[in-house]
Amino acid sequence: MEVLKSQNVEQKEKPEPGAVSVTIPASPFMQKLGYGTGVNVYLMKRSPRGLSRSPWAVKKINPKCSRTQQSLYQQRLSDEAKILKGLQHPNIVGYRAFTEANDGSMCLAMEYGGEKSLSDLIEERNAARLGPFPAATIFKVALSMARGLKYLHNDKKLLHGDIKSSNVVVKGDFEAVKICDVGVSLPLDENMTVSDPQGSYIGTEPWKPKEALQDEGVITDKADIFAFGLTLWEMMTLAVPHLNLGTGTDDEDESFDEDDFDEEAYYAALGTRPALNMEELDPSYQRMIELFSICTSEEPQKRPSAAHIVAALEASLPPQ
């Protein structure tokens, strides 16, 4: 493992024998790629002494957070690093390094291959008024995500816990699709159920299934499947589930208007299957519409497993 150290900050731990010491530049000297709850993500270019090395995506705690929040997010980042280090799959973002500096700040370095989040691509496509992603592209994303979820659920007995378009990264023209942000994942038992009484499903509200919105709801691997289905919906609508941003209007300004937001209707819709505008979807979308529909069943037992989704999608691939 490569040992990192923040600029002008000494490491608490001594480098491992033969390890390469890499200085993480201060945040202003790195390109900001994005942000999440309590964290910022930066592009770290690595080409010492003229050597070409693949860049890293570095996740750091947002210094503007309160001290209490920083403590919470540092723990989450530490948990994410431990989980990510144990994962190795072509559809899961790879671990590179993790460190804590003397000032308490943490940095998680991950693989970076020129990716954008699927959420960014959805926003760009919406702004350009290009309509739904092609059915073949949605199929490719669905298969890649399902393979990653099958690995998490079946091989690692982990629930991702926050599947959505912003936690999927895409390289180039969908050459590679990978799931990221495993920091709120939860262990699954042999019945694919989150049985740890200390485990709490975090998720993100618009993507939460019905069982995650109930106090006594039993959380299983099917919670990820519901959110997976809504991610396919995002690609067909270019909208956020239950908010309907940028759809159903011909106005040039499609920004969210807080005054028009029906809060009661929004909360009533959470955990349900949002509607599709079928006029925008030709027959080529039929398989993806069916997959979205079955994955967003309100009853978890009616949703397919990630393994079943992979098997179904791979069966329709052309022979190699």
Side-chain angles (χ1 to χ4, degrees):
M1 183 182 92
E2 290 183 283
V3 178
L4 306 176
K5 61 181 180 180
S6 299
Q7 193 172 42
N8 298 324
V9 180
E10 293 294 323
Q11 286 296 100
K12 288 182 178 178
E13 299 180 1
K14 294 181 179 179
E16 298 173 6
V20 180
S21 178
V22 179
T23 300
I24 291 201
S27 300
F29 297 99
M30 292 191 289
Q31 176 188 341
K32 190 173 181 179
L33 296 173
Y35 61 91
T37 307
V39 295
N40 294 325
V41 183
Y42 300 92
L43 173 63
M44 177 181 161
K45 297 179 180 178
R46 305 184 312 130
S47 297
R49 301 183 184 88
L51 298 175
S52 178
R53 290 183 176 177
S54 59
W56 288 347
V58 176
K59 185 180 288 190
K60 302 180 73 173
I61 304 298
N62 187 337
K64 293 182 180 179
C65 294
S66 68
R67 187 166 295 182
T68 302
Q69 288 176 319
Q70 287 202 23
S71 176
L72 170 64
Y73 298 139
Q74 284 184 359
Q75 185 58 52
R76 282 190 185 175
L77 196 60
S78 177
D79 292 343
E80 181 176 5
K82 289 175 185 175
I83 294 166
L84 195 61
K85 191 174 183 180
L87 305 179
Q88 189 168 2
H89 189 273
N91 297 116
I92 306 287
V93 165
Y95 170 90
R96 292 297 178 263
F98 179 69
T99 190
E100 179 180 357
N102 277 341
D103 63 359
S105 65
M106 292 184 171
C107 302
L108 172 59
M110 303 162 287
E111 70 169 315
Y112 174 81
E115 302 98 341
K116 284 188 175 182
S117 77
L118 180 58
S119 177
D120 289 339
L121 295 175
I122 288 171
E123 289 182 13
E124 289 173 7
R125 193 171 181 87
N126 187 33
R129 297 175 177 269
L130 294 175
F133 284 87
T137 301
I138 301 174
F139 179 97
K140 188 180 293 187
V141 171
L143 180 55
S144 297
M145 288 184 65
R147 284 170 171 166
L149 288 175
K150 177 185 175 183
Y151 171 76
L152 287 176
H153 296 170
N154 293 36
D155 295 5
K156 294 298 180 178
K157 290 294 187 288
L158 283 174
L159 178 82
H160 181 280
D162 197 16
I163 291 293
K164 56 186 176 180
S165 60
S166 58
N167 283 342
V168 177
V169 291
V170 177
K171 179 180 179 182
D173 187 19
F174 293 88
E175 299 153 26
V177 178
K178 304 190 179 198
I179 295 169
C180 63
D181 283 356
V182 296
V184 295
S185 63
L186 295 167
L188 295 167
D189 63 19
E190 64 276 5
N191 297 314
M192 291 293 183
T193 300
V194 176
S195 55
D196 181 0
Q198 302 302 317
S200 177
Y201 182 90
I202 303 296
T204 302
E205 200 168 65
W207 289 265
K208 282 186 176 183
K210 189 75 75 177
E211 63 269 23
L213 297 163
Q214 301 167 344
D215 291 337
E216 301 300 321
V218 177
I219 305 299
T220 69
D221 60 320
K222 303 301 179 63
D224 277 348
I225 300 302
F226 185 89
F228 163 84
L230 289 186
T231 305
L232 305 186
W233 181 89
E234 290 182 80
M235 296 187 74
M236 289 187 273
T237 63
L238 309 183
V240 175
H242 312 303
L243 290 182
N244 299 320
L245 296 181
T247 60
T249 176
D250 293 327
D251 296 339
E252 285 190 17
D253 182 10
E254 295 181 336
S255 59
F256 178 64
D257 188 343
E258 221 174 302
D259 294 333
D260 292 337
F261 179 57
D262 188 337
E263 188 174 7
E264 185 176 345
Y266 165 73
Y267 282 109
L270 289 178
T272 68
R273 180 188 298 124
L276 284 169
N277 182 356
M278 300 305 292
E279 292 181 2
E280 290 188 330
L281 304 172
D282 63 40
S284 68
Y285 290 89
Q286 189 57 36
R287 284 182 62 83
M288 292 301 99
I289 293 171
E290 291 173 356
L291 180 58
F292 148 71
S293 296
I294 193 170
C295 288
T296 51
S297 296
E298 289 187 37
E299 298 176 48
Q301 62 271 24
K302 292 185 177 180
R303 301 172 207 152
S305 67
H308 285 144
I309 296 171
V310 171
L313 294 181
E314 287 183 345
S316 64
L317 291 172
Q320 293 294 322

